[in-house]
Amino acid sequence: MRYLLIIAAIMLSIMVSGCQGTKPASDTGPGSGPNVSGTNAPEKDVPQQKESGDSEGQARDPLEAALEKVAAPEPLTAEKLQESSDGVFDWFLRVENWTNQVVAVVAGQTPPVIGLEQKDLIINTLAKHYTDSEAEDIFSYFFIKTTVEEKEVYEVQGTEYFDALSSIEKNLNIEVTPSTVVIKGNGNPDLRWPEVNRITTLRDDGDRLRISDITYQ
């Protein structure tokens, strides 16, 4: 009988330890649930503003991360303006395409809107090659202030992208001064730009030249 009691005690101990080993992890412990950072997950609202990301655990705007992936052309300098006409034209063409890509980051979203505070992200990005006032004008060209789900936002308008320079097919002519670049040429007569006569005004900001105005004649 004594041996039977010892065996029963051993079996009971094994059963208790086995149950403890299969106990579910605490719902409040580190790494549990859908949000491992311990902060509240962003609400699925319009537009979604922040996401956690950097090594310090700071919230990061997904728009900022997306804009960083849009490679901007190198800064325009006085030396660059002294290059060949083809080199100067290529730079302005790349800026035209880059500007469209910046807007396309938002246009590709569903819905294509950004919050009021995200406007500065777009303006600051465009300010790599445009003055602040011109960047504001370009933003106003592409975006309109509206309301989505009772929130004031900026929405991409049904505005055509910049394409004057990319439409030039022949008779390219470039006139360069330290403060202006005039680009002329002819495109397809059946399309939007059968003829291009663009005047770009530049401002010297020391480390680079920025576009301060664009007009068409």
Side-chain angles (χ1 to χ4, degrees):
M1 178 64 70
R2 179 182 179 184
Y3 294 110
L4 291 176
L5 291 175
I6 293 174
I7 293 172
I10 294 173
M11 292 297 294
L12 179 61
S13 175
I14 293 174
M15 291 174 63
V16 171
S17 61
C19 291
Q20 291 175 343
T22 58
K23 182 180 179 181
S26 171
D27 292 338
T28 59
S32 64
N35 188 352
V36 297
S37 65
T39 59
N40 293 328
E43 296 179 359
K44 294 182 179 179
D45 208 343
V46 180
Q48 180 173 312
Q49 302 293 341
K50 302 289 184 180
E51 65 179 12
S52 59
D54 62 28
S55 59
E56 297 180 356
Q58 297 294 324
R60 189 164 189 228
D61 196 308
L63 177 63
E64 181 181 6
L67 290 173
E68 288 179 355
K69 297 178 182 179
V70 181
E74 72 280 4
L76 179 64
T77 61
E79 290 74 21
K80 182 71 176 178
L81 288 180
Q82 296 174 6
E83 294 184 1
S84 66
S85 294
D86 288 343
V88 172
F89 176 76
D90 177 69
W91 187 88
F92 282 96
L93 178 61
R94 284 188 288 131
V95 169
E96 178 180 85
N97 293 332
W98 167 76
T99 304
N100 292 336
Q101 291 168 10
V102 170
V103 178
V105 170
V106 180
Q109 297 179 164
T110 304
V113 300
I114 57 174
L116 302 184
E117 69 277 9
Q118 291 179 312
K119 173 184 176 180
D120 290 339
L121 290 176
I122 300 292
I123 297 296
N124 292 338
T125 299
L126 292 173
K128 292 178 180 179
H129 293 305
Y130 299 95
T131 61
D132 290 344
S133 60
E134 184 66 8
E136 288 270 3
D137 289 344
I138 293 174
F139 183 89
S140 298
Y141 176 83
F142 284 109
F143 293 86
I144 186 171
K145 194 173 183 178
T146 185
T147 302
V148 175
E149 296 184 3
E150 300 182 353
K151 285 188 176 182
E152 289 188 343
V153 297
Y154 286 101
E155 182 175 11
V156 178
Q157 302 188 66
T159 305
E160 294 178 327
Y161 284 160
F162 290 164
D163 61 350
L165 300 184
S166 61
S167 70
I168 296 177
E169 298 177 353
K170 59 183 178 180
N171 300 328
L172 176 64
N173 180 61
I174 300 178
E175 303 171 9
V176 178
T177 74
S179 60
T180 61
V181 175
V182 179
I183 300 177
K184 301 178 181 179
N186 297 109
N188 190 318
D190 297 326
L191 299 180
R192 188 160 77 108
W193 292 100
E195 184 176 351
V196 176
N197 185 0
R198 167 178 148 154
I199 302 174
T200 303
T201 305
L202 304 173
R203 188 182 77 186
D204 189 346
D205 281 345
D207 63 331
R208 68 186 65 195
L209 300 172
R210 284 187 170 86
I211 298 171
S212 62
D213 187 53
I214 298 174
T215 58
Y216 294 91
Q217 295 183 347

